[in-house]
Amino acid sequence: MGNKLVSYCLFTYNQEEYIEDAIIGALAQNYHPLEIIISDDCSIDKTYEIAEALLKKYNGSHKIVLNRNSTNLGLGNHVSKIFYNLSKGDYIITCAGDDISKSNHVLEAVKAIEKDTVGNMIDFSGEIIDENGKFVRKISLDYQIKFNKLNDYLNLDKIELFAPGRIVSKKMLNHFEPITKKCPTEDTVLVLRSLLLGGFTRMNKNLVSYRKHMNNLSSKDSLSKLSNFSIIAQYIKDVLYLFDTDIIDEKTTSLILKRINLEYKLRSLSYDKRKYLIQSYTRPLIKRILKLKYKLAKK
């Protein structure tokens, strides 16, 4: 019996300075069978043209899928298109157009998820590089492997995640409908989906270089521009969908919705500059009060 098909999905938008390195890393993967999907969300720079020219020169064994959206879909909707329409693999590797995978990225990720007890999703570690590709630091954890459960989320226990280069099971994704067009991210949506269906694993294995630069979507400034309401609406939609399909019961659904309500308040405190003009030293106190109220109400 052969290896399962994996979809290595590179989603790009206005990353002309970095896309070549990202594609070279994708093409160098030593896993087979592999389909490499480069999908551009209607970039206004030369990202797509650079990708197209580079891929025309490729004569290796990996299947190549090159897509360009005719209009800008936004991150959540774009990733959803890749997941549900373009990818054919049993597993999906997610990378942005400024990430660089090590050549054994897919191979090690598949080994890990096929040994995993649940097999929903695995986040790995990596290293930080700057806009010029210079090494900045490794991402170090105080453990080698940790399994995160729904109760960790409900109990406010720390859940560490790292989206670049994560591997996701298509089976897990198929329990849900596509991400809504208004949701501006897929990162924490996939985390919650995995937790709802049994949990996900975080491994301290260096498989990808994550590039830090001014236009990172995960920067504090970028996060402050995202619609927290749209993210929370996606969470609620996913929870109610599982309740409606009898995967989670009423009691569990009620607890999760209370936790999501707390997350909305915490996100607003952290990122919504328009609503909360609060001195930085008062925010931790307000967060502690909100968490305490949640824990008391949960009992």
Side-chain angles (χ1 to χ4, degrees):
M1 186 175 179
N3 293 332
K4 292 182 178 178
L5 176 66
V6 175
S7 300
Y8 181 105
C9 301
L10 199 65
F11 42 94
T12 71
Y13 180 67
N14 289 349
Q15 291 157 325
E16 62 181 7
E17 302 99 326
Y18 316 120
I19 188 61
E20 183 173 347
D21 288 341
I23 291 176
I24 289 173
L27 297 178
Q29 294 304 302
N30 59 8
Y31 178 91
H32 296 87
L34 183 68
E35 66 170 8
I36 298 173
I37 300 172
I38 294 93
S39 184
D40 183 71
D41 198 18
C42 198
S43 291
I44 58 175
D45 65 4
K46 295 181 179 180
T47 298
Y48 180 81
E49 288 77 10
I50 293 170
E52 186 177 39
L54 186 60
L55 293 172
K56 282 181 179 179
K57 301 175 184 177
Y58 178 68
N59 60 0
S61 59
H62 299 317
K63 179 183 177 182
I64 305 298
V65 178
L66 180 61
N67 171 71
R68 187 181 201 179
N69 297 332
S70 57
T71 59
N72 182 263
L73 300 180
L75 183 58
N77 204 17
H78 182 204
V79 171
S80 205
K81 176 180 178 178
I82 296 171
F83 285 172
Y84 292 96
N85 299 117
L86 298 179
S87 65
K88 306 300 180 186
D90 296 288
Y91 302 120
I92 295 173
I93 302 283
T94 64
C95 285
D98 48 8
D99 300 327
I100 306 174
S101 288
K102 302 189 183 307
S103 61
N104 64 337
H105 180 171
V106 177
L107 179 62
E108 293 299 321
V110 172
K111 285 181 182 178
I113 200 168
E114 293 200 330
K115 290 179 181 177
D116 196 67
T117 54
V118 175
N120 285 331
M121 183 177 85
I122 299 181
D123 279 5
F124 302 96
S125 288
E127 61 186 22
I128 306 297
I129 58 174
D130 65 15
E131 59 185 7
N132 298 312
K134 184 179 178 181
F135 174 83
V136 176
R137 65 177 176 86
K138 286 186 177 181
I139 298 171
S140 299
L141 301 173
D142 57 4
Y143 56 83
Q144 289 303 312
I145 186 167
K146 179 184 176 185
F147 186 71
N148 301 282
K149 305 179 295 297
L150 180 60
N151 276 340
D152 297 327
Y153 179 69
L154 295 176
N155 295 333
L156 306 185
D157 295 334
K158 187 175 183 180
I159 297 177
E160 294 190 74
L161 52 138
F162 188 66
R166 67 173 34 144
I167 186 168
V168 184
S169 166
K170 194 69 171 285
K171 183 178 179 181
M172 185 274 286
L173 291 174
N174 287 338
H175 278 287
F176 298 91
E177 295 179 323
I179 299 171
T180 61
K181 65 180 181 180
K182 289 188 177 181
C183 184
T185 183
E186 94 299 344
D187 183 356
T188 56
V189 172
L190 292 179
V191 170
L192 182 59
R193 287 183 174 190
S194 296
L195 293 173
L196 291 171
L197 291 177
F200 80 97
T201 295
R202 176 75 166 88
M203 292 186 70
N204 194 26
K205 184 182 286 286
N206 187 340
L207 295 179
V208 66
S209 294
Y210 172 65
R211 196 187 299 267
K212 282 274 192 178
H213 55 87
M214 290 177 58
N215 298 320
N216 276 130
L217 291 174
S218 59
S219 68
K220 188 85 171 180
D221 185 59
S222 295
L223 289 172
S224 69
K225 296 175 183 177
L226 298 183
S227 169
N228 288 307
F229 184 85
S230 297
I231 296 171
I232 296 301
Q234 179 67 57
Y235 291 176
I236 294 172
K237 181 178 184 293
D238 287 343
V239 172
L240 294 181
Y241 185 77
L242 292 190
F243 170 71
D244 193 50
T245 53
D246 296 320
I247 293 177
I248 54 176
D249 60 26
E250 183 175 341
K251 181 179 179 181
T252 305
T253 301
S254 178
L255 288 172
I256 297 168
L257 292 177
K258 288 177 182 177
R259 175 64 178 87
I260 291 173
N261 180 54
L262 171 64
E263 182 159 346
Y264 180 55
K265 294 175 182 177
L266 296 176
R267 278 179 166 269
S268 296
L269 277 170
S270 297
Y271 304 124
D272 196 338
K273 297 177 182 178
R274 296 165 297 179
K275 187 176 180 181
Y276 289 92
L277 299 176
I278 303 171
Q279 294 293 333
S280 59
Y281 64 85
T282 64
R283 290 180 181 175
L285 176 61
I286 296 172
K287 287 182 178 182
R288 285 198 296 271
I289 293 171
L290 289 172
K291 290 178 180 179
L292 178 60
K293 286 183 177 179
Y294 164 77
K295 288 181 177 180
L296 292 173
K298 183 171 170 283
K299 292 181 177 180

